[in-house]
């Protein structure tokens, strides 16, 4: 699909458009899609929960500020519903509204700026009245994070610990994560501390559920596309791997259960 008006996409030139037949498409019914996905995840109250979820997304689109990294589309909605299904399978006896509320909170809260976070919590409490979600706590990880910060000579700031825990939660549910913020906001400290803490929990504390983390850092702006992805050499007719493709191959060939970032 061309996705006209989509960020980062270029429009087709008019002489190329003239060769193609236009096709009209309808906007997908998100409520119906959400209902079907929740029903497939064995939710009994799929219709009601789907309606609440779409209502929340519509309110967020209308009332929250416009940021480049905000996404209220089908891709984000699908990730929320998948997480709700995972939580449902982990504990089928749990209140379904509580499961949906937790999935919506954990998948959306980390990306909001401070003012929007406050408004999002109000919207969530309006749609799910009388429900209170406990804050995610990881005692072992929390202790390891504080230890790693002290080792590096950093101050222990509760907000930084909170954001690192949010990053940990995001990594449990997403393959790709992005840290957004101004210079010196603590982005590098956050992911480095999390990686070191998880490695220390595995090697030093021998805690269950944690494996060493290996980070591969690439500055994609310092190299061109051929160096990053690889290219086909027209002189020798051979494929030459780029830095990213070589790293992906190395990580895929590794049989260790370690995390590769």
């Amino acid at each position: 699909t061309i996705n006209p008006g989509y960020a980062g996409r270029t429009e087709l030139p008019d002489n190329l458009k003239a060769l193609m037949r236009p096709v009209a498409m309808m906007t997908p019914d998100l409520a119906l899609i959400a209902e079907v996905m929740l029903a497939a995840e064995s939710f009994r109250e799929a219709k009601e929960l789907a309606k609440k979820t779409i209502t929340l997304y519509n309110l967020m689109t209308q009332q929250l500020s416009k940021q480049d990294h905000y996404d209220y589309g089908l891709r984000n909605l699908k990730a929320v519903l998948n997480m709700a299904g995972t939580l449902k399978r982990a504990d089928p006896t749990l209140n379904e509204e509580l499961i949906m509320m937790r999935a919506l909170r954990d998948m959306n809260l980390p990306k909001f700026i401070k003012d929007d976070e406050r408004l999002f919590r109000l919207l969530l409490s309006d749609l799910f009245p009388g429900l209170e979600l406990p804050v995610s706590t990881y005692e072992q990880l929390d202790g390891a994070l504080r230890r790693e910060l002290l080792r590096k000579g950093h101050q222990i700031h509760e907000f930084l610990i909170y954001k690192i825990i949010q990053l940990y939660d995001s990594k449990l549910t997403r393959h790709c994560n992005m840290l957004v913020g101004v210079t010196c906001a603590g982005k590098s400290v956050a992911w480095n501390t999390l990686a070191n803490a998880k490695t220390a929990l595995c090697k030093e504390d021998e805690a269950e559920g944690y494996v060493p983390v290996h980070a591969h850092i690439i500055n994609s702006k310092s190299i061109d596309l051929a160096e990053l992805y690889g290219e086909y050499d027209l002189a020798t007719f051979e494929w030459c791997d780029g830095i990213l493709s070589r790293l992906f191959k190395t990580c895929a060939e590794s049989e260790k259960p370690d995390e590769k970032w």
Side-chain angles (χ1 to χ4, degrees):
T1 55
I2 310 163
N3 289 2
Y6 197 83
R9 304 286 171 88
T10 54
E11 292 284 339
L12 280 178
D14 290 333
N15 59 347
L16 188 56
K17 281 183 183 176
L19 301 174
M20 299 182 179
R21 180 166 56 88
V23 178
M25 298 181 70
M26 292 174 62
T27 305
D29 186 345
L30 295 181
L32 184 60
I33 293 171
E35 182 186 340
V36 171
M37 287 190 69
L38 287 172
E41 297 284 6
S42 74
F43 278 80
R44 293 180 181 275
E45 301 170 22
K47 192 178 188 70
E48 186 182 339
L49 291 175
K51 187 178 178 181
K52 286 189 175 185
T53 303
I54 302 307
T55 303
L56 177 66
Y57 270 67
N58 290 335
L59 289 171
M60 287 195 294
T61 306
Q62 294 164 13
Q63 299 187 26
L64 300 191
S65 65
K66 304 293 184 257
Q67 304 290 331
D68 289 339
H69 63 282
Y70 286 5
D71 176 25
Y72 309 120
L74 189 57
R75 187 183 290 107
N76 180 267
L77 177 64
K78 186 176 183 295
V80 171
L81 299 176
N82 285 341
M83 184 185 181
T86 303
L87 294 171
K88 175 74 172 174
R89 288 190 294 274
D91 187 1
T93 60
L94 207 60
N95 182 350
E96 290 187 350
E97 283 202 338
L98 206 63
I99 292 173
M100 199 68 230
M101 189 178 178
R102 183 183 169 187
L104 286 164
R105 181 198 69 178
D106 291 352
M107 295 295 281
N108 286 297
L109 201 59
K111 66 187 177 188
F112 291 136
I113 60 175
K114 193 172 183 179
D115 292 338
D116 288 340
E117 181 182 334
R118 194 179 301 113
L119 185 54
F120 172 74
R121 288 184 185 276
L122 290 172
L123 292 173
L124 203 58
S125 60
D126 285 346
L127 281 168
F128 298 92
L131 289 180
E132 278 294 327
L133 278 174
V135 179
S136 301
T137 54
Y138 303 95
E139 290 184 9
Q140 273 188 322
L141 182 61
D142 188 272
L145 291 173
R146 294 172 188 273
R147 186 175 62 198
E148 285 302 319
L149 286 171
L150 290 175
R151 279 181 182 174
K152 297 292 183 182
H154 298 305
Q155 291 181 337
I156 295 179
H157 200 292
E158 292 303 323
F159 182 71
L160 179 60
I161 298 285
Y162 171 64
K163 296 309 286 186
I164 297 174
I165 295 291
Q166 281 189 340
L167 175 61
Y168 175 75
D169 280 335
S170 293
K171 285 197 67 61
L172 290 177
T173 53
R174 286 188 172 97
H175 293 295
C176 180
N177 291 272
M178 182 184 295
L179 296 177
V180 181
V182 296
T183 306
C184 294
K187 302 184 295 295
S188 298
V189 170
W191 75 259
N192 273 309
T193 303
L194 179 59
N196 293 335
K198 292 180 81 171
T199 303
L201 280 169
C202 175
K203 293 185 175 179
E204 297 174 21
D205 303 340
E206 297 183 357
E208 288 187 11
Y210 295 96
V211 294
V213 175
H214 303 285
H216 304 278
I217 302 170
I218 301 174
N219 183 2
S220 56
K221 291 184 179 179
S222 65
I223 52 179
D224 60 33
L225 287 176
E227 292 171 323
L228 183 64
Y229 296 113
E231 64 180 344
Y232 189 69
D233 193 329
L234 296 175
T236 61
F237 297 104
E238 291 181 354
W239 173 261
C240 180
D241 278 330
I243 297 171
L244 184 64
S245 52
R246 181 68 59 86
L247 276 177
F248 264 71
K249 193 178 290 185
T250 304
C251 292
E253 289 172 351
S254 173
E255 296 182 357
K256 294 181 179 179
D258 302 357
E259 290 189 31
K260 295 92 176 175
W261 290 10

